[in-house]
Amino acid sequence: GEGNEDLIARFYREARSAAKIHHRNICPIYDVGEIDGQHFISMAFIKGRPMSDLIKPENPPPQKTAADLVHRIAMALAEAHRTNVIHRDLKPANIMIDKKREPVVMDFGLARQPDVESRMTQSGMMLGTPAYMCPEQLSGNPDDVGKPADVYSLGVILYELLTGRLPFNGSMAQVVCQILQEEPKPPSQLRSGVDPELEAICAKAMAKQISERYRSMEELAAALKTYLTRSKTSTPAKPQQKKTPTESQQVSETGVLNEYFAAQMANDPRQTSMESTPVVRPVDSTPESMIPRAVSIARPKPKPQSKIRRSNGIGKWIAAGLVGFAILSLGIILMVRTPNGTIRIETFGELDD
């Protein structure tokens, strides 16, 4: 009918708009079209795990990790909003953590529904969960759902990362009523030690009135960046070895993310690592000074035997000549033993006239 045609037209329009977005933390869309009456959208395959798999009530991530993740997502959504693309269905299940520990927002072009009634089955049950929907999204007027809806949903995601649970729980009807009428418990009541500044950022993003929320994703991202910068400077420095400038440059802001997700992967009973498992080689505890090493010993080059023998032969002939000269000059009797007997040599010098 006419309603379906409008929905299909909106699907193509928003999918094509989303395909123009190029950001590290947004899943790229390659194509959209129709084959044999079936409408399709083609997007990149992100190898990793959904963020929802990493949110556990008994083990929520560190606060800085939560703030860093939401900051990256906010920057990505700010880029989408600049092209007038609104997600409208943000939730951890629609955010993948890829092999490089980066959050990637999925399902642009698929999220928007024309109104709440389109999410109802014939029995009147809403499809999916409204836990991440803003109050205006539950009002039933699609024209009221704009960029502030994504700000609210991202605030709910931050709340869940901080506490490990949703701000509102219960049946579908109870959750809807709570979103419209009640305020959620502060994260500090569900988790001790929550930073008041981060808690205030979360509360402002989840404000029921649009005018009380952050006016844009850029504003939310800036608040989170300020918090992250201040928390770095206020954290006492741990004693550590002095690093060279090259080593310092290699320390990136993803370090805290890597540590957290590495721990999550280690505790994952399914062992579904997001990237290939590194090969761990055993480390020998023997002190380095006791490890035998091959040592090359410099040996003097032997002199050619022929030269040595030649030198010795010349010396012998010189010595023999001197002895002979002395014998002839002075007159000496020599007894020389040989294998064949003894030889007697008598010489006398010349007599003067």
Side-chain angles (χ1 to χ4, degrees):
E2 184 177 353
N4 289 335
E5 293 179 358
D6 292 340
L7 177 60
I8 292 172
R10 181 178 296 163
F11 165 77
Y12 279 104
R13 182 173 63 252
E14 296 198 1
R16 291 186 177 115
S17 297
K20 299 177 182 178
I21 305 173
H22 299 285
H23 194 278
R24 171 67 181 84
N25 301 106
I26 292 180
C27 180
I29 294 177
Y30 298 134
D31 194 14
V32 60
E34 177 184 358
I35 297 179
D36 297 332
Q38 186 69 39
H39 302 280
F40 74 89
I41 184 170
S42 172
M43 62 183 66
F45 173 78
I46 305 299
K47 187 176 181 180
R49 297 177 61 187
M51 183 188 288
S52 56
D53 285 359
L54 304 176
I55 297 177
K56 301 176 182 179
E58 69 279 3
N59 186 27
Q63 297 180 59
K64 292 180 182 179
T65 301
D68 197 5
L69 279 170
V70 176
H71 172 259
R72 292 167 186 267
I73 297 170
M75 293 296 293
L77 292 170
E79 179 66 23
H81 288 179
R82 281 191 284 270
T83 60
N84 293 321
V85 175
I86 306 169
H87 196 287
R88 297 181 179 87
D89 194 24
L90 281 174
K91 53 188 176 183
N94 283 342
I95 301 172
M96 295 290 291
I97 306 297
D98 67 10
K99 293 174 62 178
K100 295 185 178 180
R101 318 293 199 236
E102 289 280 352
V104 181
V105 182
M106 311 286 292
D107 290 351
F108 272 99
L110 296 176
R112 181 173 183 177
Q113 302 293 334
D115 51 36
V116 174
E117 292 180 356
S118 69
R119 300 174 69 91
M120 300 288 184
T121 63
Q122 293 181 352
S123 61
M125 292 297 293
M126 184 176 292
L127 297 176
T129 173
Y132 303 92
M133 296 182 188
C134 57
E136 64 268 22
Q137 198 168 358
L138 296 172
S139 66
N141 186 359
D143 295 333
D144 293 338
V145 181
K147 298 175 183 178
D150 285 349
V151 173
Y152 180 93
S153 299
L154 194 53
V156 176
I157 293 174
L158 176 58
Y159 186 101
E160 193 173 9
L161 287 170
L162 290 175
T163 64
R165 64 194 72 188
L166 290 167
F168 301 112
N169 293 283
S171 66
M172 192 75 67
Q174 288 175 332
V175 170
V176 171
C177 290
Q178 291 173 21
I179 292 174
L180 294 173
Q181 301 175 3
E182 299 180 13
E183 294 294 334
K185 290 183 179 181
S188 57
Q189 294 185 11
L190 301 174
R191 176 184 178 180
S192 61
V194 175
D195 192 298
E197 182 180 359
L198 189 56
E199 185 175 75
I201 293 174
C202 182
K204 185 172 182 178
M206 291 179 57
K208 297 188 184 301
Q209 299 297 323
I210 296 177
S211 59
E212 297 177 2
R213 292 179 210 157
Y214 290 102
R215 292 172 295 179
S216 64
M217 276 294 176
E218 289 93 345
E219 191 173 309
L220 173 56
L224 289 167
K225 186 66 175 180
T226 301
Y227 163 76
L228 290 169
T229 303
R230 186 177 293 115
S231 62
K232 287 180 181 179
T233 57
S234 62
T235 301
K238 296 182 180 180
Q240 57 184 357
Q241 294 181 350
K242 187 176 181 180
K243 296 181 179 180
T244 62
T246 303
E247 291 174 340
S248 301
Q249 293 172 0
Q250 293 174 351
V251 179
S252 65
E253 62 178 352
T254 61
V256 66
L257 293 177
N258 291 341
E259 293 178 5
Y260 170 67
F261 289 126
Q264 291 285 352
M265 295 302 102
N267 297 326
D268 180 18
R270 296 177 296 173
Q271 293 297 313
T272 53
S273 176
M274 289 183 290
E275 58 184 350
S276 58
T277 304
V279 178
V280 180
R281 294 181 173 85
V283 179
D284 189 358
S285 59
T286 306
E288 184 177 358
S289 61
M290 297 178 63
I291 299 176
R293 289 182 171 84
V295 180
S296 60
I297 302 175
R299 298 179 179 177
K301 291 184 177 180
K303 296 182 179 180
Q305 295 295 326
S306 59
K307 291 184 179 180
I308 297 176
R309 290 174 182 173
R310 187 180 305 164
S311 299
N312 293 338
I314 294 173
K316 291 178 180 179
W317 283 109
I318 294 174
L322 293 174
V323 172
F325 176 78
I327 292 172
L328 293 175
S329 300
L330 302 176
I332 299 174
I333 300 174
L334 298 177
M335 302 295 291
V336 181
R337 293 180 180 273
T338 66
N340 298 324
T342 301
I343 301 176
R344 178 185 177 91
I345 303 175
E346 297 181 9
T347 63
F348 299 94
E350 295 182 0
L351 298 175
D352 294 335
D353 293 338

